[in-house]
Amino acid sequence: PLANVASRMAPGYLRDFLANPQTARPGTVMPNVLAQLPSPQRATAAEELTHYLLSLAPAAPAEREWGDLQARDEGRALFASLGCVACHGPQDEDMKSMSSFVPLSHLPQKSRLASLKQFLADPQAVRPGSRMPNFRLLEDEQHALAMYLLRQRLPSAEKASNALYQPGVRYEYFEGNVREGPPEWAQMRFVRRGTTDRLELPSDIRNTKLALRYTALINVPVDGAYTFFTDSNDGSELWIDRRLVVNNHGFHGSFEAAGTVTLTAGIHSLQVAFWQDEGGKSLKVMWHPPGGKKVAIPPEVLLLPGSVAMRPLADERFELDPAKAERGKQRFAQIGCASCHPSPTASVPRLRPVSLARLQAGCLSDVQAAGVPDYGLVAPQKQAIAAALKQAPPRSAQAQSMLLLASHNCLACHERQGRGGPSGELNPLFTQSVEVDLGDEGRLPPSLTGVGAKLRPQAMLRIVGRGELHVRPYMAARMPSFPLEVAAALSKVLASADGARMTKPPKPNSRTFEDGRRLLGTSNEFERTGFGCINCHNVAGRPATGSPGPDLELAPVRLNYAWFDQWLAQPQNLRSNTRMPAFWGDEPLFANVAGGSGKHQRAAIWAYLSRGATPLPEGLVVQAKESELVVASEPIVYRTFMKDVGPRAIVVGNPQSVHVAFDANVVRMAKAWRGRFWDPSGTWTGRSGIFNEPLGDHVLDMPPGPAFAILPNADSPWPKATLDSRNLGGRFLGYELDDQRRPVFRYQLGDTQISEVARPKRTNQGFGLVRSFTVSNPKPGLMLQAAFAKRIEKRSEERFVIDDRVDLRLSQILQKHTFIRSQGDWQQLLVRVPQTATAFDVEVRW
């Protein structure tokens, strides 16, 4: 798209690129469409086209972001560890790489820092159809990588200290409602920003409902362990290098909290947040450096970035000339630019396509024909294209799979059938994020040989297209996400090429699940009954007793059963260098388990994992924090303080490792998450309370406000929850335990009584959650808020997809009673509860 080129490219670079694309950006597929013009006319045409393209959108604001050497160094490490080197090659300080890699040397001349970060955040949104996949970078990672890619704009090393740093601390002052945890900055009213020389409260701020955010760089003098302290009234927190070190949350009098972090000598980032509700206010920020004593952080170590703006090297003062822009528009149409680029205006025509048979007299000719774009092809490239045009397109699924993998550069990281994968100087750059004894299997991306037979089609779609179901957290290289249509095509062609078999496992009996659990575990003190799989594999989020291999709970979600059975039986046949041992020989072990049959023993393991790997295998040691609540064979119900929920949260831990939190103030199911359960220390350390977060991951926030409300009509506003809301969604009546010892929450809204229980449910995609409601005496106007999100897509009367992440399904009695309405930039899915509905479910999968 060219409509936003003004925000992405420096004018000088755009002009040079149009005049000679191959010189400005080596390796570009953009042809030189002005090649036939004499040099002076070419310069004029490039100038006019530049004015036209820059007239399509407002000029980009001047680059205001300052250079950041620390972020540059972080970006250098990310560039190697994430796997960027596989496509772009190792970079020297002059940004040169070998010709076989995608070059990046043009970026310092071309890109604005803000636009480059936007591209790294979502490449397909900026350049639809680009081969660049989405690495799901965090905001800090986007900044660090962009700073590294634009590092030529930074001053030389001998000038860096004076140019990039100056004493001081920057602060931002906000007013508005605050909460026990960190402020929701976007919801508060920004008052002003300023600079100071120390971490103290300004004297001219008000006494209630306020927050301040401090940012600085801290120059650490020596390597070692540093303890930081905040003493605040009310809440505060301190971050070093974007990592929370001091948690002093809550509304309380003057209270000191501390945290220790090991730092290397040099520059590190520092952030401090402070918030005040009512009463007195105070803030002290201190440190205890190695060999020193506890003191206020001295002003001389607090620094701000200097005045080196990250302007493009090809930046220049540019004034739009309407006359040149109009002539450029005419050239845009004459040259046929709209044949490749979406036309910025409807009036620009596309050129008629030329038959491929005529390429021998055009692009592939030894003498450049008049009016033909110059692609800068060298003789071997022309010969390869000519030979390809004479051949029929690949017919076999195997050939199609290799073509598709090569076209998206998958073979830069992955090997398939002896081709591709990191080799030579790239191989050592693929490392582990945590050190585990797994050899190359722990650091190199997995082989794609036979992957079509290995992975379920839906799993491949989620892995490639949605960034889900990854099982190698110890690997530093990150698997990116590709567009869903690419993921679907890969899934289809690889399954065909590798002969995927959708074999159903043997039907389990009443003993199968227990047999599978015994086989995965270790032997007990009386008999040997397990293979000890838990020594090398995580199970349901619980770490292995040794090196942490892929989590076995996800095997039925990811793998085809036929491949799983063959892998367990003869792993060396599928991967010759694997560390996975073969457990089944001519005679199976454990004759008293699953009938002594290897086939039935492997099916028993599958059946146990398909049920959610509960209860845990024998011998699995759950490594918990000192104060961690660990769920064993039955649910845990615990009243606590919880961040983003409030002081009357009730958290419920389930053996299936899917947990929920109920807000007894607002009266709603507030959160769900997977993995580890809860740290109760927040309520064990005094009634001031620490508002903790879930220990697990995949946290799902339920819709804000109450679950139910009675609305006069479909346009009536939904009740809005505040920090002091109580019984907003009805009067909370407590809870009782069902036969599985899960809590059934009860509440009353007007004359309607409602009970709700959340049950984990196994699906083909993993674990989901079924919220089961029982309603007594439902009244007209009773509404259920089923979802609140940026995007809600209705797939059927039963099924809705929320923000492309959550799959929501409704009981039949609720279907055809739903409607989606806009709430500003958000959408809300409401259900009119029929007066005949006394029991119904809402199933959530994520």
Side-chain angles (χ1 to χ4, degrees):
L2 298 175
N4 63 351
V5 71
S7 66
R8 296 191 290 113
M9 294 188 189
Y13 172 83
L14 178 58
R15 184 189 300 112
D16 293 343
F17 181 76
L18 291 170
N20 195 329
Q22 291 292 337
T23 299
R25 183 184 176 184
T28 181
V29 296
M30 167 77 178
N32 189 342
V33 295
L34 306 177
Q36 300 301 317
L37 296 177
S39 181
Q41 295 182 29
R42 191 183 314 144
T44 300
E47 175 80 10
E48 292 171 348
L49 283 168
T50 298
H51 279 262
Y52 168 60
L53 293 174
L54 295 182
S55 73
L56 298 175
E63 196 74 79
R64 298 184 182 276
E65 201 157 357
W66 290 335
D68 186 341
L69 290 179
Q70 182 198 11
R72 177 204 63 187
D73 295 340
E74 293 174 1
R76 179 183 289 111
L78 280 172
F79 189 85
S81 64
L82 292 181
C84 307
V85 292
C87 289
H88 298 288
Q91 304 283 306
D92 61 18
E93 291 309 306
D94 294 327
M95 301 196 70
K96 294 178 181 178
S97 60
M98 290 179 284
S99 59
S100 58
F101 295 102
V102 180
L104 298 171
S105 57
H106 62 291
L107 291 179
Q109 289 77 28
K110 167 191 173 183
S111 296
R112 303 186 184 280
L113 182 61
S115 63
L116 181 55
K117 289 197 287 189
Q118 183 182 16
F119 175 77
L120 292 171
D122 189 353
Q124 292 294 321
V126 177
R127 291 186 60 191
S130 167
R131 288 208 307 171
M132 172 74 177
N134 190 337
F135 278 83
R136 305 179 306 284
L137 298 171
L138 301 175
E139 187 173 342
D140 291 341
E141 293 174 329
Q142 298 162 23
H143 176 76
L145 275 174
M147 196 64 66
Y148 172 64
L149 295 174
L150 303 179
R151 61 192 177 277
Q152 284 190 327
R153 299 178 190 173
L154 297 171
S156 59
E158 60 271 16
K159 298 179 180 178
S161 58
N162 293 329
L164 287 184
Y165 304 126
Q166 59 189 19
V169 177
R170 184 176 292 111
Y171 72 86
E172 297 172 292
Y173 172 37
F174 300 81
E175 293 178 348
N177 288 330
V178 292
R179 55 184 186 172
E180 292 93 337
E184 294 182 356
W185 302 103
Q187 305 301 318
M188 301 193 71
R189 182 175 69 87
F190 172 75
V191 178
R192 70 169 187 268
R193 62 172 53 89
T195 58
T196 180
D197 62 348
R198 61 194 69 230
L199 293 164
E200 294 179 352
L201 296 178
S203 59
D204 58 343
I205 59 177
R206 72 182 191 182
N207 292 323
T208 61
K209 310 294 185 185
L210 64 99
L212 290 108
R213 183 166 54 188
Y214 300 84
T215 56
L217 301 172
I218 184 167
N219 190 10
V220 171
V222 296
D223 297 352
Y226 288 75
T227 301
F228 291 86
F229 309 82
T230 67
D231 187 321
S232 62
N233 175 5
D234 286 318
S236 60
E237 63 182 17
L238 181 146
W239 296 68
I240 297 291
D241 292 340
R242 305 174 181 88
R243 180 171 58 175
L244 181 63
V245 176
V246 180
N247 179 333
N248 199 351
H249 296 177
F251 293 153
H252 48 69
S254 180
F255 182 82
E256 183 179 280
T260 301
V261 61
T262 301
L263 301 175
T264 56
I267 303 296
H268 297 264
S269 65
L270 168 73
Q271 289 180 308
V272 175
F274 166 81
W275 54 97
Q276 166 67 14
D277 185 32
E278 304 283 351
K281 64 180 185 295
S282 64
L283 173 67
K284 296 179 182 178
V285 183
M286 296 154 285
W287 74 348
H288 187 171
K293 59 183 180 179
K294 178 182 173 183
V295 294
I297 298 179
E300 57 266 25
V301 303
L302 297 173
L303 305 173
L304 285 175
S307 57
V308 180
M310 295 294 290
R311 289 188 294 270
L313 298 183
D315 205 13
E316 61 182 45
R317 182 177 177 82
F318 181 84
E319 293 186 8
L320 187 67
D321 185 329
K324 290 182 179 179
E326 182 58 33
R327 292 195 295 272
K329 179 179 179 180
Q330 296 171 11
R331 288 187 182 274
F332 189 91
Q334 293 166 359
I335 297 171
C337 302
S339 299
C340 294
H341 297 277
S343 175
T345 60
S347 60
V348 179
R350 297 168 62 100
L351 295 182
R352 295 180 62 182
V354 177
S355 169
L356 289 175
R358 295 179 55 192
L359 289 183
Q360 296 289 358
C363 301
L364 303 184
S365 173
D366 293 334
V367 179
Q368 190 71 26
V372 175
D374 182 5
Y375 283 87
L377 300 172
V378 296
Q381 292 173 321
K382 292 180 179 181
Q383 294 166 5
I385 294 173
L389 292 174
K390 295 177 182 179
Q391 298 176 355
R395 296 295 183 185
S396 72
Q398 200 63 257
Q400 291 179 30
S401 70
M402 296 302 291
L403 180 63
L404 195 57
L405 290 170
S407 65
H408 293 285
N409 217 19
C410 306
L411 298 179
C413 289
H414 298 274
E415 173 275 336
R416 179 173 168 89
Q417 296 181 342
R419 295 177 56 187
S423 58
E425 63 178 315
L426 291 186
N427 188 287
L429 298 178
F430 283 78
T431 59
Q432 298 173 339
S433 56
V434 293
E435 189 172 348
V436 294
D437 183 21
L438 292 173
D440 286 349
E441 286 183 287
R443 64 181 189 88
L444 296 180
S447 171
L448 298 183
T449 300
V451 70
K454 172 182 177 180
L455 294 176
R456 297 164 60 100
Q458 188 62 30
M460 193 179 300
L461 192 67
R462 294 177 65 187
I463 293 168
V464 178
R466 298 191 184 278
E468 300 173 348
L469 300 181
H470 298 309
V471 294
R472 297 173 177 85
Y474 42 79
M475 190 175 292
R478 184 178 301 176
M479 172 66 189
S481 300
F482 290 83
L484 287 176
E485 58 270 21
V486 173
L490 277 170
S491 174
K492 182 178 180 180
V493 73
L494 288 170
S496 175
D498 294 338
R501 292 183 295 136
M502 305 304 171
T503 306
K504 289 186 177 181
K507 188 175 180 179
N509 56 39
S510 58
R511 286 239 6 121
T512 301
F513 304 106
E514 177 58 25
D515 287 340
R517 188 182 80 88
R518 294 174 66 190
L519 290 166
L520 286 176
T522 56
S523 305
N524 59 37
E525 58 182 314
F526 301 109
E527 59 178 339
R528 184 166 181 243
T529 58
F531 293 116
C533 306
I534 59 173
N535 292 327
C536 298
H537 285 277
N538 298 347
V539 180
R542 274 74 169 190
T545 58
S547 295
D551 195 316
L552 293 176
E553 184 198 22
L554 292 177
V557 181
R558 288 168 42 93
L559 306 177
N560 287 318
Y561 177 73
W563 187 93
F564 174 85
D565 181 66
Q566 185 181 359
W567 171 253
L568 291 188
Q570 298 173 318
Q572 295 292 335
N573 289 355
L574 295 177
R575 189 183 302 164
S576 60
N577 60 348
T578 183
R579 295 193 173 195
M580 172 76 177
F583 289 106
W584 285 273
D586 296 334
E587 295 184 8
L589 300 173
F590 314 133
N592 61 333
V593 180
S597 161
K599 177 180 178 180
H600 288 118
Q601 288 177 352
R602 296 190 291 273
I605 292 174
W606 179 274
Y608 164 73
L609 295 174
S610 298
R611 198 175 65 169
T614 56
L616 293 174
E618 187 78 27
L620 186 63
V621 178
V622 179
Q623 298 174 349
K625 295 172 58 176
E626 183 178 352
S627 59
E628 181 176 345
L629 294 178
V630 178
V631 187
S633 58
E634 64 180 44
I636 292 176
V637 184
Y638 187 76
R639 292 178 179 268
T640 187
F641 301 112
M642 187 174 192
K643 183 179 178 182
D644 298 330
V645 178
R648 296 183 69 211
I650 304 172
V651 292
V652 183
N654 290 296
Q656 295 85 356
S657 297
V658 178
H659 318 299
V660 296
F662 189 86
D663 181 356
N665 260 355
V666 176
V667 187
R668 68 177 184 122
M669 195 68 70
K671 287 182 183 287
W673 68 96
R674 299 178 186 165
R676 296 166 64 191
F677 177 42
W678 190 252
D679 176 4
S681 62
T683 46
W684 288 357
T685 55
R687 287 300 297 174
S688 61
I690 296 175
F691 285 70
N692 282 339
E693 299 181 77
L695 288 177
D697 51 23
H698 291 83
V699 179
L700 175 66
D701 290 313
M702 299 295 185
F708 288 89
I710 297 177
L711 302 185
N713 55 65
D715 297 325
S716 299
W718 195 258
K720 186 175 181 179
T722 62
L723 289 175
D724 55 357
S725 294
R726 190 73 175 259
N727 293 331
L728 187 64
R731 184 164 58 91
F732 183 54
L733 304 177
Y735 64 86
E736 56 190 23
L737 300 181
D738 66 7
D739 57 356
Q740 299 294 316
R741 301 195 62 78
R742 284 185 289 253
V744 181
F745 296 102
R746 300 168 51 245
Y747 40 101
Q748 183 166 338
L749 183 62
D751 295 332
T752 302
Q753 289 195 358
I754 303 167
S755 64
E756 175 182 0
V757 60
R759 298 184 176 92
K761 177 183 177 181
R762 184 79 194 185
T763 71
N764 288 336
Q765 289 76 42
F767 264 116
L769 193 71
V770 177
R771 300 174 62 188
S772 296
F773 298 93
T774 302
V775 180
S776 175
N777 194 26
K779 295 295 185 181
L782 181 65
M783 302 277 190
L784 165 66
Q785 182 181 212
F788 187 85
K790 288 289 187 181
R791 182 184 178 201
I792 301 176
E793 182 182 355
K794 184 176 181 178
R795 296 285 177 87
S796 67
E797 292 293 343
E798 172 198 21
R799 183 177 174 229
F800 296 81
V801 176
I802 316 300
D803 283 341
D804 293 323
R805 175 184 174 228
V806 178
D807 197 315
L808 188 144
R809 299 169 190 246
L810 303 175
S811 288
Q812 185 174 3
I813 197 170
L814 299 181
Q815 296 169 24
K816 300 185 179 179
H817 294 280
T818 63
F819 63 98
I820 300 172
R821 66 180 190 177
S822 297
Q823 301 288 291
D825 294 333
W826 296 75
Q827 291 184 307
Q828 187 179 35
L829 173 60
L830 295 182
V831 182
R832 298 183 182 90
V833 180
Q835 290 182 261
T836 56
T838 57
F840 52 84
D841 293 341
V842 176
E843 182 179 341
V844 186
R845 305 177 184 179
W846 78 103

